[in-house]
Amino acid sequence: MMQFIKTIARLLIISGFPIFASAQSTFLPQGSKFEHFLDRMEILQQRDSALNITTDKPISRRSAVRIAELADSLYHFYPYDDIYHISPVDRQNLQSLLMNNAEWVSGSKDSFASRHPWWNTFYKDKANFYEVNEKDFFLAVNPVIQQTQSVETGNKSRVFLNSKGLTIRGLIAGKLGFSAYLTDNQERGPQYVMDRIAQFNAVPGAGYYKPFKQTGVDYYDNRASIYFNAWKYFDFQFGYDKNFIGNGYRSLFLSDYAAPYLFLKFNLRVWKLNYQNIFMELISQHLLGDYQYPKKYATIHHLTVNATPWLTLGLYENIVFSRPDHYDFTYLNPVIFLPSAQQQNGSPDKTTVGFDFKANVGHATQFYGQLLINEFVLREIRHYSRGWWGNKQGLQLGVKYIDAFGVKNLDLQAETNIVRPYTYQHDDSVANYSHYNQQLAHPLGANFAEFIAIAHYQPAYKWTLEGKIIYYKQGLDSAGVNFGSNVLENYTTRPRDYGFSIGSGIPVNCVNISGLVSYEWKENLSLDLSIQYRKFTANDPAGVYQNGSSTLFTAGVRLNMFRRQYDY
């Protein structure tokens, strides 16, 4: 870590921090309720290419406010134009977004004030437990709570989640932004989640953990960042957190499934271009215990261009590497083509490239997708049916339909994700596309085809209904033989070179159906009721993978926190 921090310090000095620093926004938290609203506004009203911001997440609070204020101004300027019409529910969502990001609101903030603040000190504004908003200092402090209790059929153990902590964000002298999210968690998930924890020695989405009451886990989820801006067009973030690249429910490039990690992020936004660089320090594959876990590094480049007001095209590349005695400065070059750079080093590292797109059509529909390429040999592509192991590619295609069939705030989404075997593996146990024994992209790893359907309905501002169907088929390892699904395996242990297709190995099928009713009782305080049915079947004569089904009934309360889901 010290080596990485020294490297970052040099970069900050070179970039001119803090001499040229100016106001920089913090970001919306993971799973923010406003991401869906911003998606709707982009599809419905998108006209300004500078506001096309929802592909790279988390989303800047400043940019979110800018979208909301633009949507509001267009609505009032064109009150009879259906394109710019905002439903009553969306108007309340818009007001809530502004209230929760008051430091960037340019208009009146009088409506944000609470009618009954606590002792004239706490909850003076509806959104924040404690807030300071002075000329050169903004601070917001909020408690974070999630308590859920579940009953799982066929499971005698109590299923629960107990999370508590606080979140802080602020801005100093209009120059330096900062944020922190600090929670302590005790959890016993559904049985298939606990089996996954045992398999990978990792809690999904979390880092270091300890056993809790024999069958549960105890872990911290702590994240923090500082933010600054340089030379008008460049934004910087140095933090310990997560990132997400894509427009879908899943991402084949980089998702927020894995644990938080240390990173430095550069973002350039100019003309119709947005160019993001992420330099990451990751934890290599390891066993449980108290010792110095091995480190590795990754570099990610993602360039998007707004080709038209309705079409965005993207180019993605990444590299994962480790050096025993130094950090490889070759990969600090922000404009170099990473696969070419690693070839100059002797091709020791894991590289992937990809393309993505997003098309907003007819003010009601968005088509999106990703194409991931880890290896591309034309003669093998031409003879794809032979199933060469090195055909390591992934494809995502999806569509969103807002205000479906004329019903306001009924939004539908359909998505398919297909990833070939061995796509995220490498020829050693270090440079695979993982962090803290978890997949950095899709939760399933590779060698799968997945289909997702989501219906999201907000009949009133405080009420949210959601239904979700996830189905996938996958090929798992057979009798210890590597068939390419587990990203932690070494692809040199494959059983052959040809004859691989989606489902090679032990074929399994899984359907995960869930329904949610959520009521936001007070600002950022939600009461949730959900039901989930999961059925897993495996064609495994050896009986290593057990067939089974279960239903999970859950009741919970959340305050300033994303909802924990088990959707795989």
Side-chain angles (χ1 to χ4, degrees):
M1 178 179 290
M2 183 58 64
Q3 183 183 86
F4 183 75
I5 292 175
K6 289 179 179 178
T7 301
I8 298 306
R10 295 189 187 102
L11 286 172
L12 296 180
I13 294 172
I14 293 171
S15 67
F17 171 73
I19 298 173
F20 301 104
S22 59
Q24 171 57 27
S25 173
T26 57
F27 289 83
L28 296 176
Q30 177 186 351
S32 170
K33 64 180 181 178
F34 302 120
E35 288 182 359
H36 184 80
F37 168 74
L38 293 170
D39 229 9
R40 283 179 51 83
M41 292 301 100
E42 181 180 311
I43 296 170
L44 182 66
Q45 296 189 341
Q46 182 66 42
R47 283 294 181 270
D48 185 347
S49 61
L51 299 182
N52 195 349
I53 62 167
T54 59
T55 299
D56 296 322
K57 301 177 183 69
I59 299 171
S60 159
R61 292 179 183 269
R62 179 175 56 185
S63 297
V65 168
R66 189 179 174 193
I67 283 185
E69 291 182 333
L70 175 64
D72 187 53
S73 64
L74 289 173
Y75 168 72
H76 286 95
F77 196 75
Y78 302 101
Y80 304 108
D81 193 328
D82 289 341
I83 294 176
Y84 303 114
H85 179 73
I86 300 178
S87 70
V89 171
D90 277 335
R91 288 201 296 272
Q92 291 178 288
N93 287 329
L94 190 152
Q95 176 71 6
S96 177
L97 187 153
L98 297 178
M99 185 188 310
N100 281 272
N101 301 279
E103 64 267 40
W104 299 108
V105 174
S106 57
S108 172
K109 305 175 187 177
D110 293 341
S111 62
F112 302 167
S114 297
R115 293 182 180 179
H116 305 289
W118 297 5
W119 304 292
N120 203 32
T121 301
F122 304 110
Y123 283 117
K124 296 174 70 174
D125 290 324
K126 299 174 186 177
N128 295 315
F129 175 74
Y130 182 74
E131 180 180 312
V132 178
N133 198 346
E134 304 292 342
K135 179 182 177 182
D136 288 326
F137 185 58
F138 174 84
L139 176 69
V141 181
N142 285 290
V144 173
I145 296 172
Q146 184 165 196
Q147 299 286 334
T148 67
Q149 295 291 331
S150 305
V151 175
E152 183 182 23
T153 58
N155 185 355
K156 296 182 180 180
S157 298
R158 183 168 60 95
V159 177
F160 66 90
L161 173 64
N162 171 26
S163 298
K164 62 276 184 189
L166 59 86
T167 179
I168 304 169
R169 75 175 193 273
L171 184 65
I172 301 174
K175 295 184 180 296
L176 180 67
F178 62 90
S179 68
Y181 170 89
L182 313 168
T183 64
D184 175 49
N185 308 269
Q186 293 78 43
E187 179 179 21
R188 185 186 294 119
Q191 188 57 54
Y192 70 93
V193 174
M194 303 311 296
D195 291 343
R196 172 174 282 233
I197 293 173
Q199 177 187 0
F200 291 101
N201 289 324
V203 177
Y208 184 90
Y209 72 96
K210 294 182 178 180
F212 178 75
K213 293 186 176 179
Q214 297 181 335
T215 56
V217 291
D218 188 328
Y219 59 92
Y220 293 112
D221 186 357
N222 295 341
R223 316 178 194 184
S225 295
I226 58 173
Y227 316 83
F228 51 96
N229 173 270
W231 306 304
K232 183 179 179 180
Y233 301 110
F234 292 89
D235 291 327
F236 299 82
Q237 178 185 1
F238 180 45
Y240 188 84
D241 209 323
K242 303 183 183 185
N243 295 275
F244 187 100
I245 298 176
N247 299 288
Y249 186 74
R250 309 288 200 194
S251 175
L252 305 186
F253 294 171
L254 177 65
S255 78
D256 52 18
Y257 170 76
Y261 41 82
L262 185 69
F263 67 92
L264 175 66
K265 180 163 63 178
F266 295 70
N267 199 86
L268 167 66
R269 182 178 293 275
V270 63
W271 187 55
K272 299 179 180 181
L273 301 175
N274 190 81
Y275 185 43
Q276 186 174 98
N277 290 253
I278 308 177
F279 303 96
M280 309 157 66
E281 181 180 72
L282 307 172
I283 301 296
S284 292
Q285 187 172 341
H286 62 279
L287 300 174
L288 291 179
D290 294 338
Y291 65 99
Q292 178 64 58
Y293 293 157
K295 302 291 178 61
K296 62 181 179 181
Y297 305 92
T299 298
I300 290 177
H301 297 164
H302 186 228
L303 172 67
T304 60
V305 56
N306 295 308
T308 71
W310 57 271
L311 176 63
T312 302
L313 303 176
L315 174 64
Y316 162 88
E317 60 176 358
N318 79 26
I319 192 159
V320 182
F321 64 97
S322 179
R323 302 290 184 268
D325 56 352
H326 69 284
Y327 184 93
D328 197 323
F329 287 87
T330 305
Y331 304 133
L332 290 180
N333 189 329
V335 295
I336 198 168
F337 191 51
L338 290 175
S340 174
Q342 78 98 24
Q343 283 184 344
Q344 296 302 315
N345 285 335
S347 295
D349 306 314
K350 176 73 173 180
T351 62
T352 55
V353 298
F355 306 92
D356 61 297
F357 78 94
K358 173 174 58 179
N360 297 322
V361 180
H363 305 285
T365 307
Q366 180 184 96
F367 298 94
Y368 63 88
Q370 295 179 332
L371 174 63
L372 181 74
I373 301 173
N374 180 229
E375 195 156 349
F376 187 93
V377 177
L378 182 58
R379 67 175 181 273
E380 299 295 348
I381 296 294
R382 292 173 60 185
H383 301 284
Y384 212 74
S385 61
R386 299 195 301 184
W388 182 49
W389 78 275
N391 283 336
K392 295 176 285 183
Q393 299 95 26
L395 176 67
Q396 176 187 89
L397 290 173
V399 59
K400 301 173 185 177
Y401 178 27
I402 68 171
D403 296 333
F405 311 111
V407 179
K408 293 295 183 182
N409 295 95
L410 172 61
D411 302 330
L412 306 179
Q413 181 177 0
E415 178 177 305
T416 182
N417 297 287
I418 302 172
V419 179
R420 290 269 306 170
Y422 306 105
T423 296
Y424 297 107
Q425 293 185 3
H426 196 51
D427 61 4
D428 60 38
S429 61
V430 176
N432 50 54
Y433 200 53
S434 70
H435 165 58
Y436 230 105
N437 292 1
Q438 300 167 57
Q439 300 86 335
L440 275 168
H442 198 288
L444 296 179
N447 193 8
F448 69 86
E450 177 189 48
F451 306 91
I452 302 173
I454 303 173
H456 183 281
Y457 183 41
Q458 196 174 4
Y461 167 63
K462 289 182 175 291
W463 289 94
T464 298
L465 310 178
E466 184 179 271
K468 187 189 310 175
I469 300 174
I470 299 175
Y471 167 79
Y472 67 84
K473 65 175 184 178
Q474 187 174 26
L476 300 180
D477 292 350
S478 173
V481 179
N482 175 17
F483 280 91
S485 62
N486 186 348
V487 303
L488 302 179
E489 296 291 337
N490 183 330
Y491 65 58
T492 60
T493 62
R494 63 188 182 274
R496 55 184 184 267
D497 286 344
Y498 289 90
F500 292 99
S501 60
I502 301 297
S504 293
I506 298 297
V508 302
N509 294 270
C510 181
V511 60
N512 191 322
I513 303 173
S514 62
L516 167 71
V517 178
S518 183
Y519 177 71
E520 191 169 6
W521 182 33
K522 298 290 185 180
E523 187 68 26
N524 300 319
L525 176 61
S526 296
L527 308 177
D528 300 329
L529 289 175
S530 66
I531 181 172
Q532 174 183 299
Y533 170 77
R534 183 179 188 268
K535 182 177 181 180
F536 181 89
T537 58
N539 184 12
D540 182 13
V544 176
Y545 304 102
Q546 298 294 321
N547 297 337
S549 63
S550 66
T551 303
L552 186 72
F553 302 91
T554 303
V557 57
R558 289 179 293 121
L559 177 62
N560 298 307
M561 188 174 179
F562 63 92
R563 191 170 71 91
R564 180 75 155 151
Q565 299 189 70
Y566 310 108
D567 52 359
Y568 36 80

